[in-house]
Amino acid sequence: MSEQQDYEPRIVAFLCKWCSSAGSDLAGVSRIQYPANATPITVPCTGAISPMYILSAFNKGADGVLVSGCHIGDCHYIEGNFLARRKMQLIMELIEFIGVEPNRFRMSWVSAAEGAKFATVITDFVNDLKPLGPQDKLKRAEQA
Amino acid sequence: MSKKRTGVFVCHCGTNIAATVDVARVAKEMADESTVAFTQEYVYMCSEPGQESVVQAIKDNKLDSVVVTCCSPNLHEKTFRDNAQRAGINNFTCEIANIREQCSWVHADKAKGTEKAIKISRSVVRRVNHNKPMDAIAVPVTKRAMIIGGGVAGIQAALDIGNAGIEVILVEKQATIGGRMLQLSETFPTLDCSQCVLSPKMVEVKRHPKVKLMTYSEVQEVSGSVGSFQVKILKKPTFVDPDKCKICDHCTEVCPVVVPNEYELGLTARRAIYIPYAQAIPASFTLDEDACLGLNPVRCGKCKDVCEAGAINYDMRPQTVTEDVGAIVVATGFDLYDQANMPEMGGGKVEDVLDGLQFERLCSASGATQGHIMRPSDHKVPKDVVFIQCVGSRDPAKHCAYCSKICCMYTAKHARLYKKHVPEGRAYVFYIDIRSGGKGYEEFVQRTMEDDDTLYLRGRVSKLYRKDGKVRVLGTDTLTGQNVEIDADMVVLALAMVPSKGTVEIAKTLKIGRDKDGFLAEAHPKLRPVESVTGGIYLAGAAQAPKDIPETVAQAGAAASKVIALLSQTTLSRSPLIAKVRRSHCTGCGMCVDACPFIAIRLEGGKAVVNEALCEGCGSCSATCLRAAIDVKNVTQLQIHEMIEACLA
C-alpha cells in the first residue's frame, strides 16, 4: 500500500479555454502550488471533447483523466457543457462497466475566477489516484 | 507533403520560468522532435530583442511554423503570431505552450516541473505539426454601440461615443437615468451637489442627436459577436406618453395607492403613478403596473380622468425591439450588501439604523426630508450619530473579503454633512483603517477629524440593538483597549458594495465572466482593465469593481475610446478556427446538426455543410462525429489524439 501511496499518477486534463484554462492561469498568477501530475490540453469547449479522447488517454497509459469546464449555465457556447456532461456521464458508466475504477475519470466545473479551486481539484484527484496505482485495464500493450 | 520545419522558442521569463523549469532541457528535448528544425532559448522572448530573434530565426532557418513556450496564450499569443506574420509565415502556424502559469509558477520541484514543461511543449509541437495556414475572416462592422446601464458610467460612455459621431443606444432598467449618483446628496472631497454635477449630463445625453435613450427597458437576449451583435430589448410599458406628460402632478394627487418609494430607499412612500425624482430623465410619470389597481377605468381610472394632457394610456403593452450593434458597454453598477445578512448590525430590522444611501437621501435637498436630517422613527433631529465603516467589507470569514474602497471617504463626508446640518450634534466613526488614497482625499478626512470634531474610534462594532428609544452600539476602541458603549439617536452603516442584481443577470445574458466576488471580470487585470474576455464587450463603473465617481467616469471614457477604436474600422477580422467538413468521410448521419448550438450546420445532398458566418468554432460537432469527418480547424481530432500521446510519452 505504501508503495502505491508513492505512485505518481499520470493525468491528462482537458480544460475549457474560457474557464478552467483561465482558472489554471489564475492559480499560476496567484502562485498556488499543486502536484505536477496533470498535463493540460486546452480545448475550445468541454462540448468539443469526444468520448474517444478519454478512452484514447487511458489507452495511451493515463492513470486518470480530468475534464474541467464552465459551471452549468455559464457556457460560452450556450450549451457545450450540457453536451459534455451527458457524454461524460456515459463514459463514467462505460469505464466502470469494463472494469476501470470510476474514480479514474473526473469532471469538474472551474470558472476563470476559481484559481484556488483548480488547484484543489488537481490535488484531490492526484490524492485519490495514488492508492489506485497504475491503470492497465485500458492501456495498450507495449509494442515490442 | 514535405515535413514541417518548426521552430521552438523557449522563454526563461527572467527567473519566472527558469527557476523551476530546466529550460535548456526543454529546448534540447524539443530539438529531438522530428519536425523541429530549430530551437532557441532566451531570457525574455517577448522583449524587443527576443521578438527580433524569433523573426530572424524564422527567416534564416526557413521555418514554416513556430511554438513559443512561455506564459499563457492570453498574454502573448498575439505578440508572437504577429511576429510570425512579420517573418512572412502564416500567423495561425504559431502556437503558445503555456509553461509559466500552468507549470513553473505552480510547481516548486524543478525535476517534476521540467518533466511537465516538456510534455506541454511536446504536445504543442505535435499539434502545430498539423496546423494549417489560414486567413482571418473579414466581417463587416455595425457602426452602433449599446450601453447597458444609465448611471454616470453609462451616461459618460454614451456622450463620449456619441460625440465621436457614432450612434449609441443607452438602455436603462429604471424609469429614469442617473443611477446611484442621482441618489447622492453631495460628493467627496469637494462637497459639490451630486445632482448639480450630474443633471446637466443627463439632459445632454437626452438631447444628444446620436444617443437613443431607452429607459424602463431591459436587455433580454444577445446573440452575434464582436462587430455584429443582435440585441433583444424589452421595453416595459410606462402607461404614460413622455411627450405629452407635463409633470403637473395632478395624477399623484388622486392616486389612491401608496407603496414604499424604492428611489428613496423606502424612507418615503410613493403613489402607483409616480416620477422617481424631480430631475428624472425622461421627465415623465410612470405608472407602476404591479401597484396599480388594475389599469382599468372601471376599477379606478382616477389618474386618467385628471390628466389634462391626455398622456395616460392604459393600453400600452410591453414591446420587444431588436437592435443591431457592433459593441456593448456594460455599466450596470452596484447594490449595497444586504443588511439581512448581518444580524449583529440589526439585520435591517432596528429602527433608525440606516444604510449609506438612505443617509444620502436624508441629506439631499430633493430627498424625503428636503435635506433636514431627522431620524425616521420620530422625526427628531439626532444628537448622537454613529457611523460604522467596513460593514460587510474586509470580512472574509462571514461576508465580503474585499475592501469596498469608497466607504472611508463617504463616511467622512457623511460626518461632515451631519455636522453641517446639526452643528451641536456629535458624530462617532468606527473604523478599521482609513484608506484615503486619492487627490485631496486624505486632507478631507483630516478636516473631518479636526475641524468637524468627529470622534474616530478604531475598532469594530460587535452588536447594536434598540434600547430606551435609542440605538445602543457596543464596540471596542482598540487604541485605548476600552470597550465602548454609545446610545445613539441614529446609526449609519457603510455597507459593502456588491455587484447589482442586474449585473448578475446581464453577465449571464452576455456570457461574460464574473470574478470571485461576483463583479464583472476584466480581460486582464493590468493591461485590459476595461475589456471583458468576450470581444466587443467592455466594462465601466462599479459593476467591474468598487470605485468612486472620478474612477467610474475615467473608466467609462476608456471603454468609450475602445468602442470608438473598434467601430472606426470598416471590417473586423474574425477567427477562422471554425468547423470544416471532410466530405469524403461524411456519411450524412446528422449528429453534428443536432449538436450545433448555433444552428450553423445543415445537411445538403447527404453531407453536412457549415455556415461559416454562424459557426463559432466551439467543436461540439466534432465531438459527436465518430468518423472525424467534421473538425474545428487547427483543433482537429487528429491533433488532440497526438497531443494526448505527447502528454503521456
Side-chain angles (χ1 to χ4, degrees):
Chain A
M1 196 66 195
S2 69
E3 229 174 81
Q4 289 195 329
Q5 288 293 356
D6 296 336
Y7 182 68
E8 291 293 350
R10 300 193 299 169
I11 302 170
V12 177
F14 294 98
L15 311 180
C16 161
K17 78 165 172 181
W18 296 99
C19 51
S20 298
S21 184
S24 76
D25 280 355
L26 182 60
V29 172
S30 321
R31 312 293 200 281
I32 305 170
Q33 302 292 304
Y34 57 86
N37 303 56
T39 312
I41 295 180
T42 299
V43 291
C45 175
T46 50
I49 300 170
S50 161
M52 290 302 289
Y53 298 168
I54 317 293
L55 298 174
S56 161
F58 283 127
N59 181 245
K60 292 177 175 109
D63 298 309
V65 179
L66 173 75
V67 168
S68 191
C70 305
H71 288 273
I72 287 299
D74 289 354
C75 177
H76 185 80
Y77 301 111
I78 308 169
E79 56 187 26
N81 52 2
F82 284 104
L83 296 172
R85 188 169 62 169
R86 265 184 261 160
K87 274 185 275 201
M88 297 312 145
Q89 184 60 37
L90 286 174
I91 277 286
M92 190 99 79
E93 288 169 23
L94 176 69
I95 61 164
E96 192 175 5
F97 178 72
I98 54 183
V100 174
E101 298 90 337
N103 252 351
R104 291 196 183 274
F105 174 71
R106 189 161 290 184
M107 199 161 183
S108 63
W109 317 111
V110 176
S111 79
E114 295 174 324
K117 184 175 175 189
F118 182 80
T120 310
V121 164
I122 299 287
T123 309
D124 291 350
F125 196 22
V126 170
N127 289 339
D128 292 349
L129 285 171
K130 280 191 174 201
L132 298 180
Q135 180 278 127
D136 43 24
K137 252 303 168 329
L138 282 176
K139 191 177 173 184
R140 82 187 139 193
E142 295 291 335
Q143 292 185 351
Chain B
M1 197 176 82
S2 61
K3 208 163 72 179
K4 271 260 158 78
R5 291 183 61 81
T6 304
V8 180
F9 298 85
V10 184
C11 179
H12 298 200
C13 195
T15 56
N16 281 301
I17 293 171
T20 48
V21 166
D22 182 346
V23 280
R25 231 196 103 207
V26 174
K28 193 181 158 298
E29 291 279 340
M30 291 313 108
D32 291 344
E33 288 286 309
S34 66
T35 54
V36 172
F38 179 82
T39 61
Q40 186 190 324
E41 13 159 338
Y42 190 69
V43 62
Y44 285 111
M45 212 54 100
C46 61
S47 66
E48 170 123 35
Q51 293 189 41
E52 278 313 313
S53 74
V54 173
V55 172
Q56 206 50 49
I58 294 171
K59 290 180 180 164
D60 291 350
N61 298 282
K62 300 196 166 42
L63 303 176
D64 57 10
S65 49
V66 172
V67 172
V68 187
T69 74
C70 55
C71 50
S72 167
N74 287 335
L75 267 94
H76 283 308
E77 186 179 78
K78 188 173 185 307
T79 311
F80 291 109
R81 284 190 169 172
D82 288 351
N83 283 322
Q85 203 160 28
R86 215 149 55 85
I89 63 173
N90 186 273
N91 46 349
F92 287 95
T93 58
C94 167
E95 296 286 350
I96 303 290
N98 178 355
I99 60 164
R100 193 179 75 172
E101 281 84 347
Q102 291 183 338
C103 190
S104 72
W105 272 352
V106 288
H107 309 309
D109 184 322
K110 195 162 181 173
K112 289 178 179 173
T114 305
E115 280 312 312
K116 180 171 163 184
I118 290 168
K119 288 178 184 173
I120 294 174
S121 308
R122 187 182 284 133
S123 72
V124 179
V125 167
R126 302 263 175 95
R127 177 184 172 194
V128 160
N129 186 28
H130 300 284
N131 266 21
K132 298 265 185 299
M134 57 189 76
D135 296 316
I137 302 169
V139 286
V141 179
T142 310
K143 279 204 189 313
R144 293 174 92 205
M146 182 178 70
I147 292 159
I148 307 172
V152 64
I155 291 170
Q156 185 64 46
L159 288 173
D160 287 350
I161 297 170
N163 287 341
I166 295 168
E167 237 179 273
V168 193
I169 303 158
L170 178 56
V171 183
E172 166 59 49
K173 202 174 196 172
Q174 307 277 14
T176 176
I177 55 169
R180 291 289 180 210
M181 190 176 166
L182 195 54
Q183 293 180 309
L184 307 183
S185 172
E186 272 86 15
T187 55
F188 60 79
T190 45
L191 292 185
D192 46 355
C193 142
S194 188
Q195 281 94 347
C196 313
V197 182
L198 186 63
S199 296
K201 277 196 178 289
M202 289 165 61
V203 175
E204 193 184 341
V205 87
K206 169 82 171 43
R207 291 190 184 147
H208 202 291
K210 290 284 182 187
V211 181
K212 175 174 168 185
L213 202 55
M214 291 184 74
T215 49
Y216 219 48
S217 301
E218 287 176 33
V219 171
Q220 284 197 308
E221 259 181 62
V222 178
S223 56
S225 56
V226 52
S228 173
F229 293 103
Q230 292 78 45
V231 187
K232 230 185 230 180
I233 305 165
L234 173 75
K235 210 170 160 20
K236 295 175 282 182
T238 61
F239 303 101
V240 181
D241 183 343
D243 297 330
K244 289 186 187 162
C245 179
K246 301 277 184 288
I247 43 175
C248 64
D249 222 7
H250 290 164
C251 51
T252 59
E253 288 161 11
V254 296
C255 178
V257 182
V258 180
V259 288
N261 186 343
E262 63 272 35
Y263 295 90
E264 298 290 340
L265 300 133
L267 289 176
T268 57
R270 62 165 172 83
R271 303 289 166 159
I273 190 161
Y274 68 100
I275 185 162
Y277 307 102
Q279 310 93 326
I281 300 274
S284 167
F285 278 76
T286 298
L287 179 49
D288 176 351
E289 192 174 3
D290 297 327
C292 178
L293 291 178
L295 299 167
N296 185 338
V298 182
R299 303 279 290 276
C300 174
K302 288 194 168 75
C303 54
K304 193 174 172 140
D305 292 343
V306 296
C307 184
E308 287 158 13
I312 297 173
N313 172 9
Y314 295 145
D315 296 327
M316 273 192 198
R317 289 288 167 265
Q319 273 181 304
T320 309
V321 289
T322 305
E323 300 280 0
D324 292 325
V325 296
I328 297 173
V329 178
V330 191
T332 42
F334 72 96
D335 285 339
L336 291 181
Y337 190 61
D338 191 353
Q339 280 191 62
N341 296 331
M342 312 207 68
E344 67 273 30
M345 295 292 169
K349 291 184 184 136
V350 177
E351 264 191 306
D352 299 326
V353 177
L354 307 183
D355 65 38
L357 279 173
Q358 287 176 320
F359 190 76
E360 295 284 345
R361 295 313 297 156
L362 272 192
C363 295
S364 171
S366 69
T369 55
Q370 282 83 46
H372 300 294
I373 295 180
M374 48 178 79
R375 58 186 212 157
S377 64
D378 54 10
H379 295 189
K380 281 189 183 147
V381 177
K383 296 291 182 226
D384 289 284
V385 179
V386 174
F387 297 90
I388 309 173
Q389 294 191 178
C390 298
V391 182
S393 303
R394 304 181 66 192
D395 189 349
K398 292 191 72 180
H399 305 291
C400 310
Y402 53 88
C403 165
S404 291
K405 201 170 181 182
I406 63 167
C407 322
C408 288
M409 291 310 299
Y410 80 63
T411 299
K413 176 189 77 177
H414 284 172
R416 295 192 76 176
L417 290 177
Y418 168 67
K419 293 288 280 191
K420 199 171 94 184
H421 287 276
V422 189
E424 72 282 14
R426 187 134 186 93
Y428 306 82
V429 175
F430 280 96
Y431 72 101
I432 308 179
D433 298 292
I434 296 297
R435 297 182 168 178
S436 51
K439 212 170 174 175
Y441 287 12
E442 174 62 16
E443 298 91 318
F444 183 84
V445 175
Q446 288 304 327
R447 281 204 302 276
T448 310
M449 290 178 183
E450 289 157 16
D451 303 355
D452 289 324
D453 200 21
T454 301
L455 184 59
Y456 269 72
L457 298 158
R458 187 177 194 277
R460 283 204 144 164
V461 168
S462 60
K463 197 174 181 179
L464 52 82
Y465 54 93
R466 195 89 189 161
K467 182 145 172 106
D468 305 330
K470 293 196 171 218
V471 183
R472 176 157 292 178
V473 181
L474 307 182
T476 316
D477 179 359
T478 56
L479 295 181
T480 61
Q482 303 287 308
N483 286 338
V484 184
E485 243 183 73
I486 302 168
D487 283 328
D489 296 308
M490 193 161 84
V491 174
V492 180
L493 308 178
L495 286 160
M497 288 168 95
V498 294
S500 69
K501 209 167 134 259
T503 302
V504 179
E505 289 161 9
I506 208 72
K508 283 207 175 291
T509 310
L510 293 170
K511 303 277 177 213
I512 53 174
R514 294 192 294 139
D515 62 24
K516 69 180 188 355
D517 301 315
F519 291 99
L520 299 177
E522 61 279 7
H524 189 274
K526 299 280 180 292
L527 302 177
R528 297 168 68 193
V530 303
E531 294 161 69
S532 79
V533 181
T534 306
I537 301 181
Y538 302 90
L539 314 173
Q544 183 253 333
K547 53 174 73 75
D548 60 16
I549 295 168
E551 275 186 73
T552 295
V553 171
Q555 196 186 16
S561 76
K562 292 274 174 198
V563 169
I564 296 163
L566 178 80
L567 299 186
S568 60
Q569 302 172 68
T570 45
T571 56
L572 287 176
S573 48
R574 181 166 169 262
S575 167
L577 304 184
I578 56 173
K580 187 180 180 212
V581 181
R582 276 200 291 177
R583 288 180 64 84
S584 57
H585 286 52
C586 180
T587 58
C589 71
M591 298 241 296
C592 55
V593 178
D594 293 337
C596 179
F598 303 101
I599 322 174
I601 311 175
R602 62 182 190 282
L603 287 180
E604 235 176 60
K607 303 275 178 188
V609 177
V610 178
N611 180 339
E612 297 199 341
L614 294 179
C615 179
E616 297 269 330
C618 72
S620 294
C621 51
S622 132
T624 63
C625 186
L626 293 172
R627 295 171 60 86
I630 189 162
D631 262 325
V632 175
K633 292 176 187 169
N634 285 0
V635 204
T636 61
Q637 293 204 24
L638 172 69
Q639 285 175 301
I640 302 281
H641 282 296
E642 295 213 353
M643 288 177 86
I644 296 169
E645 178 126 29
C647 289
L648 295 163

